[in-house]
Amino acid sequence: MAEIPYKIFLEESEMPKAWHNVRAVMKELPDPFISPATGKACTADDLRPVFCDDLIAQELNTTDEYIEIPEEIRSFYKMYRPSPLVRAYNLEKALDTPAKIYYKFEGNNTSGSHKLNSAAAQVYYAKKQGLTSLTTETGAGQWGTALSMACAFYGMDLTVYMVKVSAEQKPHRRAVIETYGGKVIPSPSDTTEVGRRILAENPGTGGSLGCAISEAMETALKTEGCRYVLGSVLNHVLVHQTIIGQETYAACKKYGIEPDMIIGCAGGGSNLGGLISPFMADYIQGKNNIDFVAVEPASCPSLTRGRYAFDFGDTGKMTPLMRMYTLGSGFMPSPNHAGGLRYHGMSPILSKLYHDGYMRAVSCEQTKVFEAAVKFARVEGTLPAPESSHAIKAAMDEAIRCRETGEAKTILFGLTGTGYFDMTAYQAYLNGTMTDYIPTDEDLERGFATLPKINF
Amino acid sequence: MAEIPYKIFLEESEMPKAWHNVRAVMKELPDPFISPATGKACTADDLRPVFCDDLIAQELNTTDEYIEIPEEIRSFYKMYRPSPLVRAYNLEKALDTPAKIYYKFEGNNTSGSHKLNSAAAQVYYAKKQGLTSLTTETGAGQWGTALSMACAFYGMDLTVYMVKVSAEQKPHRRAVIETYGGKVIPSPSDTTEVGRRILAENPGTGGSLGCAISEAMETALKTEGCRYVLGSVLNHVLVHQTIIGQETYAACKKYGIEPDMIIGCAGGGSNLGGLISPFMADYIQGKNNIDFVAVEPASCPSLTRGRYAFDFGDTGKMTPLMRMYTLGSGFMPSPNHAGGLRYHGMSPILSKLYHDGYMRAVSCEQTKVFEAAVKFARVEGTLPAPESSHAIKAAMDEAIRCRETGEAKTILFGLTGTGYFDMTAYQAYLNGTMTDYIPTDEDLERGFATLPKINF
């Protein structure tokens, strides 16, 4: 077996030609989406006004373990992939741990994150279908940037509803989106009915991902040749993100790396789902014994404190109902929350795997996350995104535990992106003005009260 | 010969073990530095109060073509190198050119640029000598970030004098430096004599690199165990940057790529010098016929409109005199200048090569540079730094010329960094508020009037 370099790059010829679809090997499938109008499982026809056809097919595909990546998308991927699988030699040394730490780094592209993996695919399929414009929402801005890059490349118009607090905290992120030609509207806005309603109810709101989703969907439905695209949560997004896992799986095979633990941050869940997908398929089939760990913010704890229930994907209650771990679509993270991963729900696929005991979840307070981020930056060089730093925090905790027990575990985590546009939050941490927030049970109850009153 | 992928990454085992020193093969050497006090060539002893010993040896080394990279620096390099040599297939297609375009991309690290290559080396040598702190200046902030990263890694204190206008335009760049533990002081400041003098003379000044250099040097001279480090211009910096050229040279050999033209942006000149160094050695020895092109801003045209003269490296006139192309150390770029490359002089090595006809230089106006940058970003994905975009502009012009003549030239350029922290300038370009500035002959005369009145 070859010696392990600091950074493993697959050869272009070794790059995956298919995405992975873990649903094909799951013993029980996630519940289907339910139409709130009919109370029945959504069909492709129900989804067609909102999503484009190839994505609907992927969304509903529970049988094919591998889904071919079209040549045109593989060409796009070659612009910024393969991403490196990095051996964190310096972090291991700094922690004085016998553990071997690896991270799959998705930040080496202008969007600064893994989001481009699905943006490339979604815009390609929309273009193929003859659509002319897209709408989306963005929180931290990584998804909006990624989509704007893909739209520039394929020649599509784009409107991005950007969570207002993010647009204000990150004007330069907005400028990047605009440089690639995307139009940015801070959300809630007066350009949609749902936006106007939310503004009337709560004029001072900093917005939420759920609300931005509602605005983007409304605009897509009202515009000819336009569709809505989403950067996480949905099954097809998770499938696209399996390019991360497929590359990681190939690199591990090539170098004989056998992870004992795979860790990822989880907001909507697509990056973690994408990273673990092929490894999880092996686990389900008894071929490995990996400990899969989702890490989420203590301030937005959908897996660790949420309910496994049917819920809307958006605040405006326009989406089908999805069974997932959720805090309720009306849950609003505290305004002091700076670490991303603000979504109220969780990927139905990950939710099902978690519910059935195939993986576990932990939550972290943001000051601890930033402490880990700064430590990591100083020894490994790369400045991580706050989102990604949730995974760093959990990996470091485990590596420190290994130091105490003497275990030489192999820990692999997803480093989903860079923190260049999160410097306001880093400054707050460095200045000591960052605070933590853990929702009280009453806070959570207020969110749960927004769950739909439907029993199946 | 292997098929050429979008991105060529050398294997870790193929990474260069030595820097290149083109002076060893130059037919005539650059003039030595002159001590303004004695009028004689500087010795190592003259430089010792300011620079650390190993760097002085490299600064004065005109005989060894290869200088071994210490194992510890090669380990640091492995964190973010090798950098990819990218085939710009998408740009070629967008320009409909028969030219083959390659770029060596140095932006995939948190400093966002090639600057880390020399920062790693300089901090390592300072630490080896037992020094405890460093000072430096930074303009666009890339050098300050790189040095702060290296200081965090090796455990050194750092004070960064940041050109005031940059500190104001780029608060987040400053925050990155601080995240890695560096202390940032906007320059001119009241912490030094030279800063206080410049503030008294010109209270509204936005500062300049030359002024920031003077402040950093003064502080280093007055502080025990402290030295000054510089991110460009000097010979040893150019030597460190040859890691770019050495990797590019190795990749070209591996894949049979024979550049007809190598283009780089030139501020202080170290990235361009580093990129071309091994290719230039071959050229000098008649082994290739490459057209080497430096691209500089029309607003700060040291090669194309400067004088080849002995000059100070800094506004405060504290450095030795270096013979170089210069606009005079008192030259101040226009305040509307947003594209970096603000330095009044040019690497003595590059200046000599240019003076002796081994390379040529062109200048570009900034709106044309940003036009090329946006075009590049939209087809190649990566958002380029304004500095790097000077090289993009020249490469695109040549590729368009090739379309007209039908020549299938191989054009290689250096993409030195990313533009994440230049969004204010990108916005100005997109809003149409960016203007160009070309110094009048009278403007230049005011700069030349600050040249030392010394004849040799």
Side-chain angles (χ1 to χ4, degrees), chain B residues 103-145:
Chain B
Y103 56 92
K104 179 72 169 169
F105 180 43
E106 293 290 313
N108 275 348
N109 69 73
T110 290
S111 80
S113 83
H114 65 290
K115 297 283 185 182
L116 197 52
N117 300 328
S118 186
Q122 295 195 49
V123 179
Y124 165 75
Y125 288 121
K127 184 79 178 179
K128 185 178 159 215
Q129 191 174 319
L131 301 173
T132 52
S133 68
L134 296 171
T135 66
T136 197
E137 83 296 337
T138 199
Q142 294 174 324
W143 169 245
T145 307

Side-chain angles (χ1 to χ4, degrees), chain B residues 55 83 93 141 147 169 173 213 224 233 248 273 368 381 389 426 442:
Chain B
L55 296 176
S83 72
K93 198 171 151 196
L147 201 64
Q169 280 177 0
R173 177 64 92 170
I213 292 171
E224 179 75 23
V233 185
T248 305
K368 296 284 188 295
S389 304
Y426 269 98
E442 291 70 35

Side-chain angles (χ1 to χ4, degrees), chain A residues 57-291:
Chain A
Q58 292 173 2
E59 189 64 29
L60 301 176
N61 185 334
T62 58
T63 51
D64 300 319
E65 187 175 354
Y66 297 98
I67 296 175
E68 193 188 334
I69 308 172
E71 176 61 36
E72 293 84 349
I73 299 175
R74 288 197 280 133
S75 284
F76 190 101
Y77 282 170
K78 285 178 191 171
M79 286 204 295
Y80 69 100
R81 306 198 69 84
S83 73
L85 178 63
V86 185
R87 174 75 183 267
Y89 284 114
N90 295 310
L91 181 62
E92 291 171 17
K93 197 172 150 193
L95 297 176
D96 189 25
T97 178
K100 298 179 195 73
I101 308 175
Y102 294 86
Y103 56 92
K104 180 71 168 169
F105 180 44
E106 293 290 313
N108 274 348
N109 69 74
T110 290
S111 80
S113 84
H114 65 289
K115 296 283 186 183
L116 197 52
N117 300 327
S118 186
Q122 295 194 49
V123 179
Y124 166 75
Y125 288 121
K127 184 79 179 177
K128 185 179 159 215
Q129 192 174 318
L131 301 173
T132 52
S133 68
L134 296 172
T135 67
T136 196
E137 84 297 336
T138 199
Q142 295 174 324
W143 169 244
T145 306
L147 201 63
S148 194
M149 290 170 69
C151 283
F153 188 84
Y154 289 110
M156 293 280 278
D157 285 340
L158 172 69
T159 301
V160 179
Y161 287 90
M162 187 167 186
V163 177
K164 190 183 280 178
V165 63
S166 294
E168 286 165 2
Q169 280 176 2
K170 305 181 180 186
H172 287 177
R173 177 65 93 171
R174 175 180 179 167
V176 177
I177 297 172
E178 291 170 343
T179 297
Y180 285 88
K183 179 180 172 191
V184 176
I185 300 176
S187 167
S189 76
D190 61 5
T191 66
T192 64
E193 282 175 29
V194 61
R196 287 189 290 272
R197 194 175 71 232
I198 291 171
L199 281 174
E201 286 167 7
N202 190 356
T205 180
S208 70
L209 264 188
C211 165
I213 292 171
S214 302
E215 291 204 81
M217 283 183 67
E218 182 182 324
T219 300
L221 286 166
K222 288 179 177 168
T223 308
E224 178 76 22
C226 183
R227 288 293 185 286
Y228 167 67
V229 292
L230 181 65
S232 192
V233 186
L234 295 171
N235 300 328
H236 65 268
V237 180
L238 191 148
V239 165
H240 302 153
Q241 294 300 351
T242 65
I243 188 71
I244 306 171
Q246 292 282 79
E247 283 184 9
T248 305
Y249 191 86
C252 284
K253 287 283 177 230
K254 182 175 177 180
Y255 286 92
I257 299 163
E258 296 183 354
D260 296 301
M261 190 175 200
I262 302 183
I263 301 169
C265 61
S270 66
N271 100 76
L272 175 59
L275 173 62
I276 67 176
S277 195
F279 296 96
M280 180 61 81
D282 281 358
Y283 180 80
I284 290 169
Q285 295 168 92
K287 296 180 193 165
N288 69 39
N289 194 27
I290 295 173
D291 181 19

Side-chain angles (χ1 to χ4, degrees), chain A residues 169-170 338-339 366-367 369-378 381-390 392 415 417-434, chain B residues 110 172 174-180:
Chain A
Q169 280 176 2
K170 305 181 180 186
Q366 66 182 1
T367 54
V369 167
F370 276 86
E371 183 185 15
V374 171
K375 173 97 179 176
F376 179 85
R378 291 183 181 183
T382 297
L383 184 79
E387 292 86 344
S388 325
S389 304
H390 288 75
I392 294 174
L415 187 72
T418 51
Y420 299 119
F421 292 96
D422 299 284
M423 296 320 300
T424 305
Y426 269 98
Q427 277 181 310
Y429 170 73
L430 293 170
N431 296 341
T433 56
M434 177 177 279
Chain B
T110 290
H172 287 178
R174 175 180 178 165
V176 178
I177 297 173
E178 291 170 343
T179 297
Y180 285 88

Side-chain angles (χ1 to χ4, degrees), chain B residues 19-147:
Chain B
W19 292 301
H20 186 259
N21 182 13
V22 73
R23 286 170 293 174
V25 299
M26 285 170 72
K27 299 222 157 77
E28 281 185 27
L29 287 172
D31 289 272
F33 295 172
I34 300 293
S35 161
T38 64
K40 292 186 187 157
C42 280
T43 63
D45 285 341
D46 292 331
L47 299 172
R48 220 173 301 279
V50 182
F51 299 115
C52 76
D53 299 348
D54 286 298
L55 296 176
I56 294 169
Q58 292 173 1
E59 189 64 29
L60 301 177
N61 185 335
T62 57
T63 52
D64 299 319
E65 186 176 353
Y66 297 99
I67 296 175
E68 193 190 333
I69 307 173
E71 176 60 36
E72 294 84 349
I73 299 174
R74 287 198 279 134
S75 285
F76 190 103
Y77 282 170
K78 285 177 191 171
M79 286 202 296
Y80 69 100
R81 306 200 68 84
S83 72
L85 179 64
V86 185
R87 174 75 183 266
Y89 284 114
N90 295 311
L91 182 61
E92 291 171 18
K93 198 171 151 196
L95 297 176
D96 188 25
T97 179
K100 299 180 192 74
I101 308 175
Y102 294 86
Y103 56 92
K104 179 72 169 169
F105 180 43
E106 293 290 313
N108 275 348
N109 69 73
T110 290
S111 80
S113 83
H114 65 290
K115 297 283 185 182
L116 197 52
N117 300 328
S118 186
Q122 295 195 49
V123 179
Y124 165 75
Y125 288 121
K127 184 79 178 179
K128 185 178 159 215
Q129 191 174 319
L131 301 173
T132 52
S133 68
L134 296 171
T135 66
T136 197
E137 83 296 337
T138 199
Q142 294 174 324
W143 169 245
T145 307
L147 201 64

